[in-house]
Amino acid sequence: MSMKKPLLSKISFAVLGLFVILIINSCGKSTGSGTTPATLADVITNGLISNLTSTTAQSGGIITFNGNAIILASGVCYSSSDVTPTIADSKTNDVGAIDPAGTTTYTSSITGLTAGTVYYLRAYATNSAGTAYGSVLKFTTSASISGINVTVSTLAGSIAGGFMNGSGTAALFSGPQGVATDAQGNVYVADGFNNCIREITPAGVVTTYAGNGTAGYTDGPAASAEFYGPEAVAIDVQGDLYVSDIGNSVIRKITTAGVVSTFAGNGTRGFVNGAGTVAEFNNPQGLAVDASGNVYVADRSNDLVRKITSAGVVSTFAGYYLAGYGPIAGSANGTGGNAEFNNPVAVAVDASGNVYVADQNNYSVRKITQANVVTTFAGGIVQTTLVGAPAGVATDATGNVYVTDQNGRVLEITTSSVLYILAGSATQSGYVDGAGDVARFSSPQGITVDSKGNVYVADLNNNVIRKLVVNIQ
């Protein structure tokens, strides 16, 4: 026993010495010259030019990684001659806002541009390691446009809410969600909390088109049919109306003769492809119809876009659903089932058959070609001032795309990939008619465009349908 104590002491001393060395080495790795070295930041150029005129434009960027160092400067650099502009060319210096994800977003306002000129632009971010750049964006200033003038008015409804047919503000809606227009300029409204479909003439006269106001699930003559929280409406070339009946998880059809039927779905929430009532949806929301009579559905809780042929056969158009597991929410682009969505709430289709999706929780508008190829059309997985939280999407005859940002704005994205803020504010909600920048909305949802280019918006929390008249100056 007497021999063991000195040996134990030696071992203990050796272990203690090793422990001290480890502590010293560990401290040396986390302080002084051992700190993580700075690298170039990661920066993304906003994918769209905003509010472009003949002499001004807006852009910006997203810094997704600061390079382990303080960002000393950020903005956009641009040139009419250098196809890969740097900070040695013209530039802005913008203060960014850090969002909960830890990224930094900023908006850049550019002035003093030359009319009718091609420019090259990209975002930049500078730290102690140097300057990093985003991808190059090419745009052309207008030869003559000084701005877009928009006037917002109330077509029908009152902020008081309720149920009343009548003219203009004498009519009442309760939680209007979706809107669609026909060839004659009539506007159809999915009047969600009133469980019916309303019709508004171009003169603003409101009547009940279908539904008896009782929440239920009954097909038959329009006046006695029952819906449960209708969310969206879409109209085909024959004038038949389609309704996403979200409370019943089905798609309904209303013929021009006033007969309501179940077009697809069986009232059970789920995911099943197939014909008619064999199919199942899970909180179907947005709807759109193409020239061939195919109906596209934003199947919100399945994180999918579904397609229904004119014969009522349902298939998955795009999105990822894992058999035996369920919906897979994500932001991946790809083809068909390789693409991912996160809370798709609205769809629109253009004359070429491209489908646009308001992918709300990805803060973006996605585009799906007829070959099922999905790309990000506008916005991104970080909420920025581009499209915010998109709630509705529509297209016009020339291919321009219109978006409601439920934060309080109405947007237009032209065929030249220029974004215009038509009306409202992303930071101030309310109920104000007037000029676009003065107008205020409260959770705008569905959006549609008539043949004359007038824009109609279901202003959900204000219980009204707004009309936007757009004039280019």
Side-chain angles (χ1 to χ4, degrees):
M1 294 292 294
S2 59
M3 296 295 291
K4 291 182 180 179
K5 186 173 181 180
L7 180 60
L8 180 62
S9 298
K10 291 179 181 179
I11 293 173
S12 298
F13 181 77
V15 171
L16 178 61
L18 178 61
F19 182 65
V20 170
I21 293 171
L22 288 173
I23 290 176
I24 293 172
N25 288 341
S26 176
C27 290
K29 290 180 180 178
S30 60
T31 60
S33 60
T35 56
T36 303
T39 63
L40 292 179
D42 292 335
V43 60
I44 300 171
T45 306
N46 280 355
L48 295 172
I49 293 294
S50 304
N51 297 329
L52 181 67
T53 69
S54 56
T55 59
T56 63
Q58 284 185 329
S59 183
I62 305 172
I63 303 171
T64 59
F65 173 58
N66 65 3
N68 299 310
I70 296 172
I71 298 298
L72 303 173
S74 62
V76 296
C77 49
Y78 55 97
S79 172
S80 60
S81 57
D82 188 352
V83 297
T84 54
T86 69
I87 55 175
D89 296 303
S90 298
K91 68 178 185 297
T92 67
N93 194 356
D94 305 291
V95 177
I98 298 177
D99 69 16
T103 59
T104 301
T105 65
Y106 57 87
T107 300
S108 306
S109 296
I110 306 164
T111 60
L113 301 176
T114 303
T117 302
V118 175
Y119 283 89
Y120 303 90
L121 173 149
R122 56 178 173 169
Y124 76 89
T126 302
N127 63 14
S128 58
T131 300
Y133 297 94
S135 58
V136 175
L137 189 65
K138 179 181 176 182
F139 68 95
T140 304
T141 54
S142 169
S144 59
I145 293 177
S146 60
I148 292 182
N149 178 267
V150 179
T151 302
V152 179
S153 62
T154 299
L155 178 67
S158 167
I159 196 170
F163 179 76
M164 182 73 68
N165 288 321
S167 183
T169 55
L172 298 177
F173 300 87
S174 184
Q177 298 273 0
V179 285
T181 54
D182 65 15
Q184 291 72 44
N186 299 300
V187 180
Y188 299 88
V189 182
D191 194 3
F193 298 155
N194 281 325
N195 300 300
C196 61
I197 309 302
R198 314 286 288 281
E199 179 183 3
I200 314 172
T201 69
V205 178
V206 179
T207 56
T208 300
Y209 190 72
N212 62 17
T214 299
Y217 182 19
T218 303
D219 287 332
S224 58
E226 293 177 351
F227 301 86
Y228 189 2
E231 285 271 347
V233 285
I235 194 164
D236 66 17
V237 292
Q238 285 80 32
D240 295 323
L241 203 68
Y242 298 85
V243 180
S244 60
D245 192 358
I246 193 170
N248 291 313
S249 279
V250 296
I251 308 303
R252 314 284 286 279
K253 180 178 180 179
I254 311 171
T255 67
T256 54
V259 178
V260 178
S261 61
T262 298
F263 185 59
N266 56 32
T268 300
R269 285 184 172 83
F271 171 62
V272 177
N273 286 322
T277 56
V278 170
E280 293 179 359
F281 303 88
N282 194 351
N283 292 323
Q285 193 158 336
L287 290 180
V289 186
D290 68 16
S292 301
N294 299 301
V295 178
Y296 299 89
V297 182
D299 194 2
R300 190 184 74 192
S301 294
N302 279 328
D303 291 313
L304 302 172
V305 177
R306 313 283 289 279
K307 178 180 178 179
I308 314 173
T309 69
S310 57
V313 179
V314 180
S315 61
T316 299
F317 191 59
Y320 183 26
Y321 189 100
L322 183 60
Y325 179 83
I328 303 296
S331 60
N333 288 320
T335 301
N338 291 320
E340 296 170 346
F341 300 90
N342 192 348
N343 202 44
V345 295
V347 287
V349 60
D350 67 16
S352 300
N354 298 302
V355 177
Y356 298 86
V357 184
D359 193 7
Q360 193 166 82
N361 287 356
N362 280 323
Y363 312 110
S364 61
V365 176
R366 313 286 289 282
K367 179 180 178 180
I368 315 173
T369 68
Q370 279 299 301
N372 302 87
V373 178
V374 180
T375 56
T376 299
F377 179 69
I381 59 173
V382 177
Q383 185 169 194
T384 69
T385 56
L386 278 179
V387 296
V393 61
T395 60
D396 65 16
T398 58
N400 299 306
V401 177
Y402 299 80
V403 182
T404 52
D405 170 10
Q406 71 176 16
N407 293 326
R409 300 181 302 164
V410 180
L411 314 171
E412 177 186 359
I413 304 170
T414 71
T415 53
S416 301
S417 296
V418 176
L419 182 145
Y420 289 99
I421 301 171
L422 297 182
S425 167
T427 59
Q428 298 179 20
S429 64
Y431 179 31
V432 180
D433 284 333
D437 57 348
V438 173
R440 294 293 179 265
F441 301 82
S442 185
S443 192
Q445 299 292 311
I447 186 169
T448 189
V449 186
D450 68 16
S451 60
K452 297 179 180 179
N454 298 309
V455 180
Y456 301 90
V457 175
D459 195 0
L460 176 67
N461 290 344
N462 285 325
N463 296 305
V464 296
I465 307 303
R466 312 290 284 279
K467 179 179 179 179
L468 284 68
V469 178
V470 181
N471 293 306
I472 298 176
Q473 296 177 318

